[in-house]
Amino acid sequence: MDLVVPLTGITADMRPQVGGKATALASTLAAGLQVPPGVCVTTRAYRRFVGQTGLEEKLAMEIHRKAAADMRWEEMWDASLRIAHLFRITPIPDDLRRDLVRGLREFCADRTLAVRS
């Protein structure tokens, strides 16, 4: 599976790789309803990112620091802030950036691009 998949190429069985929102948009489009053109960055891209950067281990450490059932809300809040910070400060590896840019260029070329989670 590619790192970037157009909505027109998404099928229901791809939900684990593209998520529920992209699957729903693709099925809405396939039903003939109006949906803006779009693409989905797949979980393969995410896995490459966390694997290549060492984030996978850092995230596991944060997640397994303490059982969620034993955490106060302040501890959960602090953990979420630390995790968000890790994502903000970790650069995308050059090879992954290049592959993502290539996939996005195939779709949007010179058009303006909006990003949603």
Side-chain angles (χ1 to χ4, degrees), residues 3-51:
L3 300 178
V4 178
V5 179
L7 290 178
T8 55
I10 295 174
T11 57
D13 63 321
M14 295 170 67
R15 185 182 177 116
Q17 292 83 31
V18 298
K21 188 182 296 181
T23 304
L25 285 171
S27 66
T28 302
L29 183 63
L33 299 170
Q34 288 187 340
V35 174
V39 297
C40 177
V41 176
T42 65
T43 57
R44 181 171 169 225
Y46 170 80
R47 287 190 191 102
R48 267 183 64 183
F49 175 65
V50 298

Side-chain angles (χ1 to χ4, degrees), residues 4 39 101-114:
V4 178
V39 297
V101 167
R102 186 179 308 123
L104 290 170
R105 275 200 184 122
E106 288 176 19
F107 169 74
C108 65
D110 296 326
R111 293 185 278 175
T112 301
L113 183 65

Side-chain angles (χ1 to χ4, degrees), residues 4-117:
V4 178
V5 179
L7 290 178
T8 55
I10 295 174
T11 57
D13 63 321
M14 295 170 67
R15 185 182 177 116
Q17 292 83 31
V18 298
K21 188 182 296 181
T23 304
L25 285 171
S27 66
T28 302
L29 183 63
L33 299 170
Q34 288 187 340
V35 174
V39 297
C40 177
V41 176
T42 65
T43 57
R44 181 171 169 225
Y46 170 80
R47 287 190 191 102
R48 267 183 64 183
F49 175 65
V50 298
Q52 288 180 340
T53 60
L55 266 181
E56 192 167 18
E57 293 81 15
K58 293 175 185 175
L59 294 172
M61 184 184 75
E62 284 295 339
I63 291 168
H64 301 298
R65 184 182 297 254
K66 190 174 182 181
D70 297 333
M71 294 175 82
R72 298 184 330 270
W73 73 267
E74 298 94 342
E75 293 173 299
M76 288 184 182
W77 179 261
D78 288 345
S80 71
L81 291 176
R82 287 190 301 271
I83 289 169
H85 180 70
L86 287 170
F87 278 99
R88 279 194 300 276
I89 67 169
T90 304
I92 299 173
D94 290 338
D95 65 321
L96 178 57
R97 179 185 306 276
R98 184 180 56 250
D99 291 346
L100 286 169
V101 167
R102 186 179 308 123
L104 290 170
R105 275 200 184 122
E106 288 176 19
F107 169 74
C108 65
D110 296 326
R111 293 185 278 175
T112 301
L113 183 65
V115 178
R116 287 190 45 129
S117 63

